[in-house]
Amino acid sequence: MPRTPRTTDPELARKLSRRNMLGVAAGATAAALLGGATTASAAGTAPVPGTAPAAGRGRPVLPPGRLGIQLYSLRDKVSTLGFARVFEELRRFGYDEVEYAGYSQGSAGPLTLAQLRRLTRDHGLRAIGSHVGYYSDDPGAYTFAQNLTKVLDDAQALGLKHIGTASGPWRYGATVDGWKRCAEEFNHYGAEARKRGMKFYQHNHAEEFSFATDRPDVRLYDVLLAETDPDLVYLEMDIYWAYAGRFRFGRRPDGTPAPFDPLAYVLEQPDRYPLFHVKDGERDDTARDGYRMVDVGDGDIDYQRFISAVGRTHGGRRDHHWQAEHDNPAESLTFARKAASHLRSLREKDC
């Protein structure tokens, strides 16, 4: 069923309920898609030590053509080897898509957007999105707030269908009204992107799931969902950071329980989540985030279950894109190869 708004603010609760109506069809089946799981057994729960999740026997969990990678993970190789060499390796590993984290290649030499678009296409890859800063104090900065037209011009030149930011809505602080102001700006960026046939999106870190400083009963992520237009503003869930957020902010500042399930957010409004970051973590309750980031496949986040559940939503195997990522891999190309191999090995348990 649709998620009950976790706030005592009547206006915010009304908006959350209205937004959730857009995901009623998905929300009505959320319990079935989750297999009746409770929060305690949600998709990110660590398996029993010494065991691995069952690989399954059915069709591949990843839909055809939907394996991607966020190029931030390969920034060292892009800088030294250049896009062409990196794209050669990615295609050899079986990737279908890339998400840009900048359009330059450092010591490999300058290139135009037209050249980058052609390189991507010629290596059999699709550019699915790009991360750009939200705002800056520098009026000439390459951000949505300072240079929206240029940002959208470049995204259009690259043929992108999605253009977004990994910056959180912190421009005006951590209050409810501050996030409402950011939501208004996001709605504007989304409207301008839509005019060009693109979707604007925001990528989360853990802190988006914290609580408003002026309303400790209100989770800031719920403000973002309530105050942004679902036809204009989309979300790229970074699954690792969402589970880190659940670990860090599963209680309100006064200590009362406030559990949430990242997967449930998606199942209630799957159309709002076209993109995902797939990064893995080894569970460690002594760490600040509850996890320590590791290569995809080496950690405890159950991606077989998470991706399968999203895939069972209406259009789930058609409308979602999965980008492998590691913020600081020990060896970036090794990470990319391992992530592709692991994700392609995952199978539905019952198909």
Side-chain angles (χ1 to χ4, degrees):
M1 296 179 64
R3 176 166 41 87
T4 302
R6 302 176 181 86
T7 173
T8 58
D9 184 324
E11 177 63 13
L12 182 59
R14 182 188 67 79
K15 288 185 177 181
L16 279 167
S17 297
R18 177 167 59 86
R19 297 295 192 227
N20 283 342
M21 287 301 293
L22 296 168
V24 163
T29 60
L33 293 167
L34 281 163
T38 64
T39 299
S41 60
T45 301
V48 176
T51 67
R57 300 177 300 277
R59 67 182 177 181
V61 165
L62 271 184
R66 288 295 185 266
L67 175 61
I69 191 165
Q70 182 14 279
L71 291 173
Y72 181 77
S73 303
L74 297 159
R75 59 195 181 277
D76 62 324
K77 296 299 191 291
V78 170
S79 177
T80 57
L81 302 178
F83 282 111
R85 289 280 304 281
V86 169
F87 290 164
E88 286 174 12
E89 293 300 301
L90 292 180
R91 194 57 185 159
R92 188 166 65 86
F93 298 156
Y95 284 95
D96 308 296
E97 301 177 331
V98 294
E99 182 182 33
Y100 297 124
Y103 311 135
S104 62
Q105 54 180 6
S107 61
L111 77 172
T112 67
L113 294 179
Q115 289 172 323
L116 177 56
R117 181 175 183 174
R118 186 166 56 251
L119 277 176
T120 308
R121 181 194 62 216
D122 289 350
H123 286 87
L125 298 166
R126 291 184 301 276
I128 193 62
S130 180
H131 283 185
V132 177
Y134 167 21
Y135 67 93
S136 171
D137 293 333
D138 176 4
Y142 189 76
T143 64
F144 282 95
Q146 277 66 44
N147 277 290
L148 177 61
T149 299
K150 174 62 173 171
V151 167
L152 297 181
D153 284 347
D154 289 352
Q156 196 165 19
L158 288 163
L160 299 180
K161 297 299 183 184
H162 307 84
I163 180 68
T165 184
S167 303
W170 307 101
R171 186 178 189 182
Y172 307 109
T175 64
V176 170
D177 284 343
W179 275 51
K180 287 181 178 180
R181 290 180 65 187
C182 291
E184 290 178 5
E185 295 180 348
F186 282 12
N187 285 333
H188 173 60
Y189 307 152
E192 293 303 307
R194 185 177 183 181
K195 292 175 183 177
R196 300 170 182 245
M198 294 181 286
K199 293 179 178 179
F200 169 80
Y201 64 96
Q202 193 267 342
H203 162 284
N204 66 274
H205 292 88
E207 287 75 18
E208 281 87 338
F209 297 95
S210 63
F211 297 91
T213 53
D214 61 331
R215 292 293 307 274
D217 62 317
V218 174
R219 192 180 300 281
L220 288 169
Y221 196 71
D222 289 336
V223 178
L224 179 66
L225 287 172
E227 297 294 331
T228 51
D229 186 331
D231 291 328
L232 300 177
V233 177
Y234 296 84
L235 291 308
E236 177 179 61
M237 179 173 279
D238 186 304
I239 300 166
Y240 172 92
W241 287 123
Y243 281 106
R246 184 176 74 169
F247 178 83
R248 291 176 58 188
F249 306 111
R251 290 183 177 275
R252 298 182 181 86
D254 65 2
T256 57
F260 71 91
D261 181 357
L263 179 55
Y265 272 107
V266 179
L267 297 183
E268 287 161 5
Q269 298 189 64
D271 290 345
R272 294 205 75 178
Y273 293 89
L275 306 175
F276 293 89
H277 274 192
V278 179
K279 62 177 64 162
D280 213 344
E282 187 176 44
R283 189 62 188 256
D284 181 354
D285 288 353
T286 69
R288 182 196 66 166
D289 297 319
Y291 294 88
R292 296 194 181 277
M293 197 176 298
V294 296
D295 288 351
V296 174
D298 289 346
D300 297 321
I301 297 178
D302 189 348
Y303 278 111
Q304 190 278 340
R305 187 164 178 268
F306 194 105
I307 299 173
S308 293
V310 176
R312 288 193 293 271
T313 63
H314 178 69
R317 291 181 65 82
R318 181 190 65 236
D319 300 334
H320 303 281
H321 305 263
W322 305 88
Q323 317 297 310
E325 188 185 31
H326 190 309
D327 290 355
N328 292 291
E331 209 296 314
S332 58
L333 285 174
T334 299
F335 156 73
R337 177 182 54 77
K338 288 173 60 179
S341 177
H342 176 72
L343 292 172
R344 288 197 179 279
S345 75
L346 297 177
R347 294 292 185 271
E348 298 278 3
K349 291 183 178 178
D350 297 298
C351 205

